[in-house]
């Protein structure tokens, strides 16, 4: 799993949405080795809550990530990624 590629895809998708999207539409990006979908599902002050799905040939991971600005506040997930992989993905996603 190439997390740099996933995070780059997330950054591109977020850039097309703007820094803090007003619309709550799901955005998906498809790549040869994986796909990533994200949807902002809540916002309160500097806290943003995102539903994220990453699918590659080995596993699918569904996450809910709470970002406080560019810092990860909390996350939960279910799927085939290890807890360490999910933690890194959540931290890197919020840092974008």
């Amino acid at each position: 799993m190439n997390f740099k590629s996933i995070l780059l895809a997330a950054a591109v998708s977020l850039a097309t949405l703007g820094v803090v999207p007003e619309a709550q539409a799901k955005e998906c990006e498809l790549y040869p080795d994986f796909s990533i979908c994200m949807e902002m599902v809540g916002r309160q002050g500097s806290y943003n809550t995102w539903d994220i799905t990453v699918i590659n040939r080995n596993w699918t991971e569904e996450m809910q990530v709470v970002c406080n600005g560019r810092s990860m506040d909390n996350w939960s997930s279910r799927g085939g990624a290890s807890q360490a992989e999910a933690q890194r993905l959540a931290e890197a996603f919020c840092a974008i």
Side-chain angles (χ1 to χ4, degrees), residues 8-84:
L8 178 60
V12 169
S13 295
L14 288 173
T16 62
L17 289 172
V19 175
V20 180
E22 294 298 324
Q24 296 193 10
K26 182 179 276 189
E27 292 285 326
C28 295
E29 296 289 333
L30 303 176
Y31 296 91
D33 295 330
F34 67 93
S35 64
I36 182 169
C37 295
M38 64 203 82
E39 179 179 15
M40 189 175 74
V41 295
R43 180 174 66 183
Q44 184 171 357
S46 63
Y47 289 87
N48 295 306
T49 303
W50 295 85
D51 285 344
I52 303 167
T53 302
V54 177
I55 302 170
N56 68 24
R57 68 181 97 131
N58 300 313
W59 45 256
T60 298
E61 190 71 17
E62 295 179 352
M63 305 181 71
Q64 185 164 85
V65 178
V66 179
C67 303
N68 181 1
R70 290 184 173 221
S71 298
M72 189 270 300
D73 182 67
N74 197 3
W75 64 274
S76 63
S77 72
R78 63 178 182 267
S82 71
Q83 292 293 298

